Amino acid sequence: MPDTQALVMTFLTSLKNATARQTAELLRSVISQQRVPYTNQAGALIDAVKAVGEQLIAANPVELAVGNIVRRVLHIIREEDLSLTTAAIGELNLSAVSDDENDDDRDGNTTLSAAAVAAAARSTLRPPSLQTLLEDTPVSAAVPQTSSSGAADKSSRSRKLKHDVIEAVNELIQDIVTCHEQIAEQAVEHIHQNEVILTLGSSRTVSEFLFAAKEKKRSFRVFVAEGAPRYQGHLLAKELVARGLQTTLITDSAVFAMISRVNMVIVGAHAVMANGGVIAPVGMNLVALAAQKHAVPFVVLAGSHKLCPLYPHNPEVLLNELRSPSELLDFGEFSDCMDFGSGSGSPLLHVVNPAFDYVPPKLVSLFITDAGGHNPSYMYRLIADYYSADDLVVQRRAIAGN
Amino acid sequence: MGAQKKRAAAAAAAARVSEDPDDLARQPLQAILLADSFTTKFRPITLERPKVLLPLVNVPMINYTLAWLEAAGVAEVFVFCCAHSKQVIDYLENSEWFSQPNFTVKTIESHNIISAGDALRLIYEQNVIHGDFVLISGDTVSNMSLTQALQEHKERKKKDNNAVMTMIIKKSKPSPITRQSRLGTDELFMAIDPNTKQLLYYEDKADHSKGTICLDKMLLAENPSISLHNDKQDCYIDICSPEVLSLFTDNFDYQHLRRHFVKGLLLDDIMGYKIFTHEIHSSYAARIDNYRSYDIVSKDIIQRWTYPYVPDVKFCGNRATKLERRGICFTAFNSEIEQSRSAQVGSFTVIGYGTKIGSNSKISDSVIGEGCTIGSNVLIEGSYIWDNVIIEDGCELRHVIVCDGVIMKAGAVLKPGVVLSFKVVIGERFVVPAYSKVSLLQQPTVHDSDEELEYADNSSGTVEFSSIQGTADQSNGEMTSESSEAHKPKLGTGGVGYIWSICEGGQEEEWRHSVAPIPEDKLTELSEAMDDDQELVTQDRTALSTSGELISDSNASEGDDNEDSKDDSVYFEKEVEATFLRAVEENVKVDHVILEVNSLRLSYNMTSADCAGAVFYSMMKLAIKTPHSSASELQQNTANIITTWQKLLKSYLLEIDEEIEIILKFEEMCLESAKEFSPLFARILHILYDKDILQEDAILRWADEKEGADESDKVFVRQSEKFIQWLREASEEED
């Protein structure tokens, strides 16, 4: 697929701005350009998406949203295929072991016993549940079987599958685009008259949320912790004031002193993990701890594309990113501290600038996603709705096997 | 994602700039990348591989430069290849760089180019540069955003057509002891106009022994304020207007970008071309110029100053690595390494794909390449080990560079500063001495101690290389068979390679530019030397003032201090003597000598009595120095000198006091420095009287004063008793 390859290359070069939406759009074009074979259409699509998705994830592993979208798209393909298959099953008597030779190239599961195939077919037909998530199903077995259907309506089905998938991906893109608004719609339910809200740094979701509450004539105050070392809180304060909100800017280290006057902490997130833990800009754990100490609700706003089906202890997950020390201090001023030319040659001064913090689920009071408010312990359920267990590891066999 | 935004902003801004309708630079930004540094500082490694392809934290240097150029919004890059051009072109062709959208890389190849100036002249002839371009060499690491600098450059250019170049600088303090920058280059002095940021003065070869730098007085006359910096580092990233290329063509003798071009433009006030500077603060830029900067830039990369060009973020040409926490610091790891459980990998270390590390080995502050095999009980500290190196058990490496394919047999030790070039084999238990460079190739016989020769030498280097390559191929075969005998004494049993003798600048320079940190004893030595220097400088100052060219030293004018005034009178006497001797030798007119002595007298704040004494002293000294065989001859000489120079002496004999001073001085001389005169005392006194230098009153007063003195002091009075007697009688007669 040379065309898509070029697209992927463009994406990789502009990868630094890789947002969820762009990922979805890219995958949509991958799907639409993928030539679908007569058999195993879903398998072909999944392979194509996985191949591209793997590159995307490897290119910037810290941007979890990219991986999330890849998995969402894979899930969509499976779902659509499943609905088609269930429809087809009604008409045809499914013979489970028909097209095995077609699957040779994929995983060489020709030796699968009929029983295993039947079990796999069953699991495919079952709606996603906690059990399927935990069950150790043979990953490959789930998909190929679905293609085994009569040749009569193949062409129409293949078109239909592709069409349906693209439709669903479009919906997903729409969801991502509107997620800020959908979250903001819930603002009035959470922000009440004369409350004091504290936030850290700047997040578009949070600012939209606050603006929405303001537009509904709620009057409240906002404390903004500046969010060192990037000080995006300064920008947020500016925006808030422009909208006529009473704003107080504080340093991050003053959070504990101010928290007793705060009614609610509302923050954005970089990613929400499967256990309900949050990966958020550095300094967030400090805010969460302060909030817990004073029993202030700690509310995290996150679009559903930020829900990550992985656990933070998963070695796949790159939890943090160390950024350039120049955000902390001026290289020129400290250049004499970093003269490796004398002494032992090893630097005595080391500047660490992590981008993210991990906030454990027990410190979070509420998640607000575009699907409504959720308890941290409910996150796994949302994730089961959005993702297939088969896709958690987006990596092709050959590499995983080594 | 600040950097991402920055990039996005940079891209957007670049787009905005090109959208600007009245901007002549509608075409995309171009860059010239010199894939050759035209120096020999990385020899012997660069004999086998071009410098831009040397791995820097496991990624060839040129990738950092290209990745940055791409991110900075450059659309077209011309890579100029000279030495080992084939290797560079092959590498680029197989890399991802040729297949990038919106970023074209083109190569220009030439073999008979010996300097950056020639390269730019060639590019000018090819007529491929159409607008402003970025001039950079392939060994530069940066993450700066060009947007602002570019915009400033364009705006200046619009106002003033002579603003041809913007130079990127960065603050970085030089070491006060070694007088070199962090990167091991010489301390750089720059004078910049603080308002316009125009570069007015550039000096990277200041002579520190003198302790002075010279600025043209015109600079101060023309510019109301100048800020003089020594804490700026030249990043060797230049934004140039197309005129720069034609300037190089016009001035065919320009070779070096800084030494000739920049200094040439600064000195040339006819054309009035101007160079401006742009200082970067939060971003990083540095050029790898020597082994020390290789070490420092590597460490900066590991410490993430060059973010996002760091080992664990993927940019072109590096494999995915992961950071792991070691203690409080971080280490970049590839997931595919084999590490023994008991091996200790310390902080600030990068370990490449497929490397094996044996038990009980310790590694810290180092970079290890791909596919290396490290035995057990190996110690690696602050070293750079490239790909496919085999290090057997018990080796020790401290602050060294080990190139691809090197084999170190068990127990070998590399002392700090060693560089092992490609495929060298170090024998068992062999200790390679500090700062030595080992290569399979023999040291070229052309010794280039003079840096100016670098260009010439480089040309021979490239030509010579092909022949060397040939012989190396042959000798590779031979070596494996013969080496056991031929090189046994050199690199231990089984060792293969030649130790290069240290030539350029000798040991003195080696420690300055090597990968190893400057040893402690060198530092103390240097700081002591510096203290001495300072003393010297202060002494110099007094010496200067004794020569009378400067207005009086504060010490002398205070004069209260006995020590000092005594010192001063001694200096003064010496000066007068020197002046007098010069006058005698060069036949200076008496009037001029008087002038000179007068100026000395003023500068030392001396009385005319002092002058008289000093002048007389010098005359007597001269007399005694003139060859003579007998006392009478000496007397004759003295008489001659006095006759010749009596006018000089007389000009200081205004009163009797001065005359007495002369007699006292003479007496003192006879007693101490010039005892030869003592028998002649009376006679010379007579001569002086005859020549009207001394009046009888003075002599009589002197005699009277001596009346009450000790017997020992009266020697000369008694000697000249007859003369005094005669004088007394004469005066009585007159009465």
Side-chain angles (χ1 to χ4, degrees):
Chain A
M1 38 170 189
D3 304 340
T4 39
Q5 197 56 41
L7 271 172
V8 173
M9 287 308 293
T10 331
F11 186 80
L12 288 179
T13 50
S14 66
L15 155 160
K16 284 289 164 184
N17 338 307
T19 62
R21 199 182 86 193
Q22 283 165 310
T23 315
E25 281 166 357
L26 174 80
L27 291 178
R28 185 177 60 186
S29 55
V30 168
I31 291 167
S32 64
Q33 287 179 21
Q34 178 69 25
R35 238 180 260 115
V36 184
Y38 284 117
T39 54
N40 196 12
Q41 298 106 331
L45 282 184
I46 287 176
D47 272 357
V49 170
K50 269 193 176 175
V52 173
E54 200 188 342
Q55 287 185 55
L56 299 184
I57 293 170
N60 193 2
V62 84
E63 197 58 75
L64 293 169
V66 174
N68 296 346
I69 294 302
V70 172
R71 293 186 183 96
R72 286 280 289 271
V73 170
L74 288 174
H75 178 69
I76 286 168
I77 297 171
R78 286 178 205 279
E79 287 268 279
E80 293 300 328
D81 188 48
L82 178 70
S83 66
L84 281 177
T85 320
T86 35
I89 277 171
E91 299 153 21
L92 299 160
N93 288 321
L94 170 77
S95 62
V97 219
S98 61
D99 291 339
D100 264 357
E101 62 277 6
N102 287 329
D103 308 323
D104 285 6
D105 54 329
R106 238 190 123 245
D107 20 55
N109 61 350
T110 40
T111 53
L112 271 184
S113 70
V117 171
R122 240 184 294 119
S123 77
T124 330
L125 298 177
R126 228 186 291 149
S129 71
L130 182 61
Q131 203 193 349
T132 12
L133 283 176
L134 297 176
E135 209 174 42
D136 193 33
T137 39
V139 179
S140 59
V143 182
Q145 313 312 326
T146 57
S147 62
S148 47
S149 50
D153 56 347
K154 257 179 191 163
S155 58
S156 71
R157 258 198 60 199
S158 79
R159 249 181 281 126
K160 189 156 178 4
L161 175 69
K162 209 162 137 177
H163 180 259
D164 288 352
V165 167
I166 290 173
E167 278 296 292
V169 173
N170 280 339
E171 267 173 47
L172 173 65
I173 293 171
Q174 205 53 40
D175 278 355
I176 295 167
V177 172
T178 57
C179 83
H180 295 301
E181 293 159 33
Q182 287 182 356
I183 294 172
E185 270 172 25
Q186 308 163 47
V188 265
E189 296 163 28
H190 297 279
I191 298 176
H192 306 292
Q193 198 67 18
N194 294 328
E195 273 192 344
V196 177
I197 311 290
L198 181 123
T199 187
L200 174 92
S202 176
S203 146
R204 175 142 172 252
T205 326
V206 172
S207 54
E208 299 264 327
F209 193 79
L210 296 175
F211 297 157
K214 174 72 184 168
E215 270 161 27
K216 296 272 167 60
K217 302 287 177 236
R218 284 278 146 80
S219 111
F220 56 97
R221 294 170 63 98
V222 183
F223 284 0
V224 181
E226 60 182 357
R230 265 162 290 155
Y231 304 109
Q232 298 200 314
H234 297 176
L235 299 175
L236 179 67
K238 215 172 184 176
E239 284 176 35
L240 292 175
V241 169
R243 297 287 186 113
L245 272 163
Q246 184 70 48
T247 309
T248 310
L249 187 72
I250 57 171
T251 59
D252 294 352
S253 39
V255 163
F256 205 91
M258 304 300 274
I259 201 84
S260 57
R261 298 172 54 189
V262 171
N263 298 94
M264 198 197 299
V265 179
I266 299 179
V267 294
H270 173 68
V272 178
M273 306 311 288
N275 65 345
V278 180
I279 295 178
V282 68
M284 202 61 92
N285 201 6
L286 178 122
V287 178
L289 284 169
Q292 192 201 33
K293 178 87 180 166
H294 287 265
V296 176
F298 186 83
V299 178
V300 177
L301 308 183
S304 57
H305 61 275
K306 287 190 175 172
L307 295 186
C308 181
L310 302 173
Y311 285 85
H313 54 74
N314 192 323
E316 288 271 296
V317 182
L318 186 60
L319 271 181
N320 219 333
E321 188 180 23
L322 293 177
R323 301 175 57 85
S324 168
S326 61
E327 286 176 349
L328 267 73
L329 45 81
D330 183 56
F331 183 85
E333 282 304 318
F334 285 81
S335 57
D336 42 352
C337 303
M338 287 170 297
D339 190 4
F340 314 121
S342 49
S344 67
S346 67
L348 294 174
L349 177 71
H350 183 213
V351 187
V352 182
N353 180 15
F356 302 117
D357 241 358
Y358 173 67
V359 182
K362 63 171 185 180
L363 296 181
V364 181
S365 320
L366 187 69
F367 282 103
I368 299 176
T369 70
D370 34 4
H374 302 284
N375 204 37
S377 59
Y378 188 71
M379 276 301 129
Y380 83 95
R381 189 59 231 171
L382 277 184
I383 280 160
D385 283 349
Y386 290 133
Y387 301 100
S388 302
D390 306 334
D391 305 324
L392 294 190
V393 179
V394 187
Q395 229 170 19
R396 268 171 299 183
R397 286 282 146 127
I399 293 166
N402 278 350
Chain B
M1 310 267 102
Q4 299 171 12
K5 277 186 189 146
K6 211 185 285 165
R7 283 175 166 214
R16 197 171 57 238
V17 165
S18 53
E19 274 160 27
D20 198 1
D22 58 319
D23 205 327
L24 68 154
R26 230 172 196 290
Q27 57 268 92
L29 184 60
Q30 294 176 309
I32 295 177
L33 188 153
L34 301 174
D36 194 334
S37 58
F38 305 107
T39 57
T40 56
K41 289 188 178 141
F42 270 86
R43 285 194 175 185
I45 302 174
T46 46
L47 282 184
E48 288 168 72
R49 192 187 282 187
K51 185 176 161 194
V52 292
L53 295 187
L54 304 184
L56 182 70
V57 195
N58 294 341
V59 180
M61 284 181 202
I62 195 167
N63 279 350
Y64 287 92
T65 319
L66 286 172
W68 171 70
L69 285 173
E70 192 196 6
V74 173
E76 194 175 18
V77 178
F78 295 95
V79 178
F80 189 89
C81 316
C82 181
H84 308 291
S85 53
K86 201 168 175 323
Q87 282 189 51
V88 179
I89 292 169
D90 282 353
Y91 176 80
L92 287 174
E93 274 170 358
N94 293 325
S95 72
E96 303 159 43
W97 292 113
F98 275 4
S99 58
Q100 298 284 328
N102 313 322
F103 185 67
T104 16
V105 177
K106 289 180 183 157
T107 50
I108 298 175
E109 191 181 356
S110 174
H111 293 289
N112 42 17
I113 294 295
I114 53 164
S115 73
D118 288 344
L120 292 180
R121 279 186 276 276
L122 189 86
I123 291 171
Y124 179 72
E125 281 165 22
Q126 300 211 343
N127 201 17
V128 287
I129 298 292
H130 309 297
D132 288 344
F133 64 96
V134 180
L135 179 58
I136 191 171
S137 69
D139 44 12
T140 311
V141 179
S142 175
N143 61 359
M144 68 172 283
S145 153
L146 271 180
T147 324
Q148 208 198 340
L150 203 62
Q151 211 139 6
E152 282 175 14
H153 178 79
K154 282 185 195 291
E155 267 160 32
R156 268 197 295 265
K157 181 79 194 188
K158 237 183 259 172
K159 278 185 219 140
D160 181 356
N161 215 31
N162 280 337
V164 289
M165 185 162 124
T166 302
M167 195 192 261
I168 309 293
I169 55 170
K170 179 164 180 58
K171 186 171 178 186
S172 172
K173 298 176 190 168
S175 158
I177 301 172
T178 53
R179 288 280 158 208
Q180 61 181 9
S181 70
R182 280 180 87 232
L183 298 173
T185 48
D186 293 319
E187 191 176 16
L188 172 66
F189 289 97
M190 275 186 179
I192 296 168
D193 186 317
N195 300 317
T196 61
K197 305 283 174 224
Q198 189 186 344
L199 182 72
L200 301 168
Y201 174 79
Y202 184 100
E203 183 59 69
D204 55 351
K205 291 259 176 277
D207 191 356
H208 296 295
S209 56
K210 267 192 208 154
T212 54
I213 58 167
C214 301
L215 283 177
D216 194 344
K217 203 164 68 184
M218 287 305 284
L219 278 183
L220 289 165
E222 285 165 6
N223 302 282
S225 62
I226 285 181
S227 44
L228 184 63
H229 301 275
N230 76 337
D231 61 348
K232 299 282 185 260
Q233 168 201 323
D234 186 350
C235 302
Y236 294 94
I237 297 172
D238 303 322
I239 299 168
C240 307
S241 302
E243 285 91 336
V244 169
L245 291 180
S246 52
L247 271 175
F248 265 100
T249 318
D250 295 346
N251 298 281
F252 53 85
D253 53 336
Y254 283 174
Q255 305 285 345
H256 192 270
L257 284 180
R258 294 290 183 255
R259 218 172 297 152
H260 301 127
F261 177 68
V262 169
K263 287 185 186 169
L265 283 198
L266 290 177
L267 289 177
D268 176 21
D269 43 5
I270 301 164
M271 302 301 287
Y273 285 115
K274 291 171 189 161
I275 298 173
F276 290 85
T277 57
H278 174 79
E279 189 175 354
I280 49 173
H281 296 279
S282 59
S283 35
Y284 183 88
R287 182 181 168 206
I288 294 154
D289 183 53
N290 50 40
Y291 287 122
R292 160 130 11 255
S293 42
Y294 179 84
D295 173 51
I296 303 258
V297 173
S298 296
K299 280 175 176 156
D300 287 341
I301 290 172
I302 295 170
Q303 293 223 32
R304 310 183 76 80
W305 287 100
T306 58
Y307 185 93
Y309 309 112
V310 288
D312 62 309
V313 175
K314 223 176 163 188
F315 58 97
C316 278
N318 59 344
R319 283 178 197 258
T321 45
K322 253 187 157 176
L323 285 188
E324 257 177 52
R325 199 186 272 202
R326 299 277 154 154
I328 23 175
C329 303
F330 291 85
T331 294
F333 264 100
N334 201 291
S335 43
E336 310 280 322
I337 67 164
E338 272 177 48
Q339 187 193 339
S340 159
R341 230 164 244 288
S342 53
Q344 296 175 24
V345 178
S347 53
F348 300 119
T349 301
V350 175
I351 295 180
Y353 180 86
T355 287
K356 299 189 185 93
I357 303 170
S359 53
N360 289 321
S361 290
K362 288 181 188 168
I363 302 176
S364 63
D365 299 319
S366 300
V367 176
I368 297 182
E370 294 178 2
C372 295
T373 308
I374 294 166
S376 43
N377 299 313
V378 173
L379 183 90
I380 301 178
E381 212 178 273
S383 300
Y384 299 90
I385 293 165
W386 298 357
D387 299 345
N388 303 316
V389 172
I390 297 170
I391 298 174
E392 292 180 2
D393 300 353
C395 290
E396 274 182 41
L397 297 89
R398 287 194 177 86
H399 307 290
V400 297
I401 293 179
V402 178
C403 297
D404 290 3
V406 167
I407 298 170
M408 286 182 65
K409 296 274 171 66
V413 176
L414 301 185
K415 293 279 182 194
V418 169
V419 174
L420 299 186
S421 187
F422 299 93
K423 292 184 180 141
V424 162
V425 180
I426 302 293
E428 224 166 279
R429 300 191 185 287
F430 186 77
V431 179
V432 183
Y435 304 119
S436 44
K437 299 190 169 69
V438 186
S439 171
L440 282 189
L441 305 181
Q442 247 166 338
Q443 191 162 16
T445 39
V446 200
H447 285 250
D448 46 341
S449 53
D450 190 350
E451 256 201 75
E452 295 303 323
L453 273 174
E454 271 175 15
Y455 308 113
D457 179 69
N458 199 277
S459 68
S460 67
T462 45
V463 177
E464 163 193 62
F465 176 72
S466 49
S467 58
I468 286 183
Q469 185 75 60
T471 52
D473 286 345
Q474 295 169 10
S475 58
N476 262 351
E478 291 164 23
M479 260 177 204
T480 38
S481 53
E482 283 177 30
S483 58
S484 41
E485 302 116 61
H487 303 293
K488 203 184 273 175
K490 281 215 141 180
L491 289 166
T493 24
V496 179
Y498 301 94
I499 297 185
W500 282 30
S501 64
I502 297 155
C503 55
E504 289 156 67
Q507 191 84 10
E508 167 70 23
E509 288 306 304
E510 285 303 321
W511 58 261
R512 274 186 186 274
H513 302 309
S514 98
V515 277
I518 300 165
E520 207 63 50
D521 49 325
K522 266 280 183 284
L523 281 179
T524 46
E525 197 179 292
L526 268 178
S527 56
E528 275 165 17
M530 194 171 57
D531 291 346
D532 289 353
D533 270 2
Q534 259 162 6
E535 274 166 34
L536 236 161
V537 168
T538 44
Q539 266 181 23
D540 266 0
R541 201 178 298 140
T542 50
L544 267 179
S545 52
T546 50
S547 73
E549 269 136 38
L550 284 182
I551 313 301
S552 82
D553 198 354
S554 57
N555 284 342
S557 58
E558 278 162 19
D560 296 334
D561 200 340
N562 269 337
E563 281 283 300
D564 280 348
S565 60
K566 195 173 178 186
D567 276 356
D568 272 351
S569 62
V570 170
Y571 281 128
F572 174 71
E573 239 164 48
K574 278 188 183 154
E575 277 302 314
V576 171
E577 189 186 341
T579 314
F580 179 73
L581 286 177
R582 188 162 47 81
V584 172
E585 274 166 27
E586 295 172 14
N587 262 333
V588 181
K589 275 188 186 166
V590 176
D591 291 343
H592 294 181
V593 183
I594 293 172
L595 262 179
E596 280 190 42
V597 175
N598 274 343
S599 71
L600 283 177
R601 180 190 140 194
L602 285 173
S603 65
Y604 281 87
N605 199 19
M606 292 293 170
T607 60
S608 55
D610 290 324
C611 290
V615 170
F616 181 74
Y617 175 82
S618 332
M619 287 162 72
M620 290 294 124
K621 258 296 190 37
L622 178 66
I624 211 167
K625 270 183 195 157
T626 327
H628 54 266
S629 48
S630 64
S632 58
E633 209 173 319
L634 176 65
Q635 186 190 343
Q636 191 54 46
N637 284 342
T638 318
N640 287 343
I641 287 166
I642 291 172
T643 332
T644 330
W645 295 102
Q646 52 177 318
K647 197 183 165 197
L648 172 65
L649 199 50
K650 269 183 191 163
S651 66
Y652 295 101
L653 303 176
L654 307 172
E655 285 174 45
I656 281 189
D657 285 345
E658 280 100 44
E659 290 173 23
I660 295 172
E661 171 72 25
I662 285 183
I663 302 171
L664 289 172
K665 191 90 196 172
F666 189 36
E667 203 181 359
E668 189 188 308
M669 277 181 82
C670 292
L671 281 173
E672 287 163 18
S673 51
K675 291 203 170 124
E676 277 182 82
F677 277 121
S678 42
L680 301 171
F681 184 86
R683 285 185 210 171
I684 290 172
L685 201 64
H686 197 171
I687 296 169
L688 287 170
Y689 174 75
D690 278 351
K691 299 284 174 198
D692 276 344
I693 290 168
L694 297 181
Q695 293 173 17
E696 51 184 61
D697 280 358
I699 298 170
L700 292 179
R701 283 261 295 273
W702 167 69
D704 289 346
E705 272 175 32
K706 287 283 170 181
E707 276 306 275
D710 290 340
E711 277 303 302
S712 58
D713 272 356
K714 283 190 188 168
V715 182
F716 296 109
V717 181
R718 213 159 288 147
Q719 194 188 2
S720 44
E721 209 162 348
K722 271 187 188 166
F723 177 58
I724 293 166
Q725 192 65 37
W726 177 76
L727 279 176
R728 281 212 173 107
E729 281 166 8
S731 63
E732 274 164 21
E733 271 172 24
E734 264 175 37
D735 291 342

